[in-house]
Amino acid sequence: MHEDKGICKGTCKEYKVRKPRDGTSRYSSGQVRCQICGVFMSREACHDREDRPVTDETVDLYCNCCNCMVRSRPRNKPGTKHSKKTPQKEYDELKELRKKY
């Protein structure tokens, strides 16, 4: 395992990729994002938990530059609507659920 963690050494810049022009998302096209380095990069710039090169089946990906886990999925799902409930409405719904059980 890498000793130093969380410091960008700049080696990730050679794996930096551009946004796909066909309109697909970066994550669906196989790109990953390192939050420490602040760049989107290809999966080849990563390794797994045991410092082995990444395959298509690898789930936990770590940046070769800073050894921090990279994001391979978006933080939110586009198209989902969040309901704005007041705390009183949430309390009333929980109260009704408790009455049922």
Side-chain angles (χ1 to χ4, degrees), residues 7-15 37 39 63-66:
I7 300 169
C8 180
K9 298 177 203 76
T11 58
C12 56
K13 306 300 184 213
E14 61 191 64
Y15 294 100
C37 299
V39 296
C63 180
N64 286 340
C65 179
C66 63

Side-chain angles (χ1 to χ4, degrees), residues 12 14-17 30-32 40-46:
C12 56
E14 61 191 64
Y15 294 100
K16 187 175 178 179
V17 292
Q31 297 179 7
V32 295
F40 279 94
M41 57 185 128
S42 60
R43 291 176 61 98
E44 291 82 34
C46 302

Side-chain angles (χ1 to χ4, degrees), residues 69-100:
M69 186 176 268
V70 296
R71 181 180 300 142
S72 59
R73 284 181 269 146
R75 290 164 95 181
N76 59 2
K77 295 179 182 177
T80 58
K81 294 183 180 178
H82 300 286
S83 64
K84 299 282 184 178
K85 293 182 183 176
T86 62
Q88 183 63 41
K89 285 183 181 180
E90 289 181 7
Y91 175 76
D92 292 340
E93 287 178 5
L94 286 174
K95 198 173 180 181
E96 290 297 319
L97 283 173
R98 286 184 185 157
K99 286 181 183 178
K100 290 180 182 178

